[in-house]
Amino acid sequence: MRFLALFSLLFSVLMFPAAEARIRRYRWEVKYEYKSPDCFQKMVITINGESPGPTILAEEGDTVSVELTNSLLTENVAIHWHGIRQIGTPWFDGTEGVTQCPILPGDTFTYEYKVDRPGTYLYHAHYGMQREAGLYGSICVSVARGKTEPFSYDHDRSIILTDWYHNTTYEQALGLSSIPFDWVGEPQSLLIQGKGRYNCSLVSSPYVCNSTSPQCSPYVLTVVPGKTYRLRVSSLTSLSALSFQIEGHNMTVVEADGHFVEPFVIKNLFIYSGETYSVLVKADQDPSRNYWVTTSVVSRNNTVTPLGLAILNYYPNHPKKSPPTVPPAGPLWNDVEPRINQSRAIKAHHDYVVPPPLTSDRVILMLNTQNEINGYRRWSVNNVSFNLPHTPYLIALKENITGAFDPTPPPNGYDFVNYDIHNVSNNTNATSSNSIYRLQFNTTVDIILQNANTMKKNDSETHPWHLHGHNFWVLGYGKGKFDNFSDPIKYNLIDPIMKNTAPVHPYGWTALRFRSDNPGTWAFHCHIESHFYLGMGVVFEEGVERVGKLPSSIMGCGKAKGLGGRP
């Protein structure tokens, strides 16, 4: 009998390993290849020949292990696991200059981390501006075995929305770093799951732009009539805020950044770079035809970038059968009100509310401004433009390396009484720095993002801010200048959604609250590539003395060259 019991136990372990956390192993090669995602051929950074890269599939509680070989030949690389909190593994956050040294050409580096909660997440390059060269992909984490979600569906699909430039990231970075300033301009295309369409008649050579290339045929989402689909819609745009719509179909929002949402129905989804949503779509329209799926630019007066187009294919119609209608154009680019209303409508599901602390221990007011420093155009927070150091903060602080960054703390606010957010300001006191915010461990921190006018009259841009290593409560959105006395009274302390990325709307403010309970150093920055490149970000340090022994693989740069590092 004892033998039979042991045999039964062994059989259960071998046959049902999915009941326990597993290690999901991936082996990636990152390299340049010529691709034509919008019919225009250019060099694209791929993972195993793909862009977007392979989707990481895991279950809550699993460990993900990615062995990455850098075959870019002349470029370093680092990959950030966007939305993964890296509890206990802050060195694998993948942020060059903050948590690790970059991976050198020819080197192989292994990221290993736990996915501690279900939801929709992303990965992307976090070195220079490589993300917009095609180095990105999805992470889909299902609920643990035996758990359920507060909604049901028949099928699950992931869709990443991006914008696309024909100039290389080097050309863009050179323009941004030049005097006179040379702005990157509006993107040439919008891609849906890596596919778009540029007007090749604008290009003289057919070898450069080929409208018949299968690489730029529209992305097709095939559905079976009567079925319900969970669409995990994410944005990794370099610049553009987007509206996503499916012709003739409503969408029900059920998840945002890995947190269940009190469901609400929309015609179009406003989505900002770094955000992820799950929407439910039922295939309940006329099944004899196909329908358009489109993305359009909002919040920028963009007249040059065409719609992103995909096809909702009702089976058994041919997937390449074009819909008989004109693609829906999306909402007006400058209609801010519906965007704010949708932001405010996103609340925690009533069965999954995580109550925020009722008060905070520290409030940091962050004014978003555009400046010129020594003739160079920059973006700043409280008139301080951020620069990454040569020695990553995590290494410098944990290994007690002095002189690696400016120890002077950044400003905790700005002159909110006298600063006019509605007009072009002189900002003559703007400086650049690599200093960081030192947070007391396990305290409650409020961040107030305050938007303002740029250096162009009557212009205020939307900025999506992403926090590494944490989720924050979104306490509120407001118009105009934040009032430290009257606006906190309006905070949603009942059912605020938790997210890792949230927009601050033009001439408005956004209030966030989080706990400084994850030891490490964590970036907090605008997720627009060029804005972060130009200094629109900060770094938080919290409880770094509690961080375990750093792996030698993250070292080898700056003042960490003698600490073991990679050869």
Side-chain angles (χ1 to χ4, degrees), residues 103 134 213:
I103 306 166
S213 170

Side-chain angles (χ1 to χ4, degrees), residues 323-356:
T325 50
V326 176
L332 294 174
W333 72 270
N334 58 351
D335 192 355
V336 180
E337 199 67 26
R339 302 206 300 273
I340 296 177
N341 290 341
Q342 191 172 106
S343 293
R344 289 172 172 164
I346 302 170
K347 295 180 172 61
H349 190 282
H350 63 273
D351 288 331
Y352 295 86
V353 174
V354 180

Side-chain angles (χ1 to χ4, degrees), residues 192-211:
I192 299 178
Q193 197 56 21
K195 290 175 173 286
R197 183 157 293 249
Y198 183 67
N199 183 357
C200 287
S201 66
L202 301 176
V203 181
S204 58
S205 173
Y207 299 104
V208 175
C209 195
N210 180 4
S211 60

Side-chain angles (χ1 to χ4, degrees), residues 369 371-389 393 405-411 427-436 532-538:
T369 59
N371 314 71
E372 279 198 356
I373 301 175
N374 299 324
Y376 292 95
R377 185 67 55 91
R378 302 286 294 178
W379 279 98
S380 304
V381 173
N382 297 336
N383 276 342
V384 177
S385 187
F386 177 71
N387 289 318
L388 284 167
Y393 295 107
F405 62 90
D406 183 356
T408 307
N427 292 332
T428 52
N429 60 333
T431 59
S432 60
S433 175
N434 57 17
S435 60
I436 62 174
F532 184 44
Y533 178 83
L534 291 172
M536 199 173 196
V538 300

Side-chain angles (χ1 to χ4, degrees), residues 36 53 89-90 106 130 147 155 166 186 268 272 286 315 327 352 368-369 394 470 515:
S36 305
T89 53
Q130 288 177 340
K147 292 185 178 181
H155 301 285
H166 292 170
E186 302 300 322
N268 64 289
Y272 309 92
D286 178 4
Y315 181 83
Y352 295 86
N368 297 190
T369 59
L394 183 62
H470 303 77
R515 293 284 298 172

Side-chain angles (χ1 to χ4, degrees), residues 214-278:
Q215 293 184 29
C216 60
S217 60
Y219 172 70
V220 175
L221 176 63
T222 299
V223 297
V224 175
K227 299 294 184 181
T228 298
Y229 291 80
R230 177 185 186 169
L231 303 184
R232 299 175 184 262
V233 185
S234 308
S235 173
L236 280 175
T237 51
S238 306
L239 174 68
S240 311
L242 298 176
S243 174
F244 172 83
Q245 43 272 327
I246 303 175
E247 180 189 11
H249 294 71
N250 288 332
M251 296 176 281
T252 303
V253 181
V254 294
E255 180 222 343
D257 288 3
H259 293 268
F260 297 133
V261 170
E262 188 65 23
F264 64 100
V265 178
I266 55 175
K267 293 286 187 184
N268 64 289
L269 175 69
F270 294 110
I271 185 167
Y272 309 92
S273 182
E275 288 192 312
T276 67
Y277 291 97
S278 284

Side-chain angles (χ1 to χ4, degrees), residues 4 99 111 231 271 308 443 466 502 534 543:
L4 290 175
T99 60
Y111 290 100
L231 303 184
I271 185 167
T443 58
H466 171 59
L534 291 172

